[in-house]
Amino acid sequence: MSDIDTYGVQEVFVEALARVERIGPNRRLVFVITAPNSNGTRDQVAVVKVAMSAEASFQAAQAMLSDGGEAVLGLIVPSSTAWAN
């Protein structure tokens, strides 16, 4: 496994995965946090959208479910690259 420089990458804590959208053969994961609104309650606000190949999203899900408390996501290498809005 090679080292990945994450120094310039912003870290965002998310509270939930709001939805997974299908974009052709790819998937978009939308992560959210809650934020106060003008009514005094809280709304879910999207903070991160990640688009990846279906294969990479499946690998990420498997890695997170079987990591045993240790991050293994560095082992994931997407098989294709696609851009989506």
Side-chain angles (χ1 to χ4, degrees), residues 43-78:
D43 290 331
Q44 284 191 327
V45 179
V47 292
V48 177
K49 295 191 303 186
V50 178
M52 60 178 62
S53 70
E55 180 182 339
S57 64
F58 180 73
Q59 290 173 344
Q62 283 188 313
M64 286 186 274
L65 290 171
S66 66
D67 73 356
E70 296 183 20
V72 293
L73 294 177
L75 299 175
I76 297 172
V77 178

Side-chain angles (χ1 to χ4, degrees), residues 25-46:
N26 304 310
R27 303 295 181 270
R28 179 186 295 133
L29 288 68
V30 180
F31 295 92
V32 297
I33 61 171
T34 55
N37 63 24
S38 60
N39 299 334
T41 59
R42 299 181 72 80
D43 290 331
Q44 284 191 327
V45 179

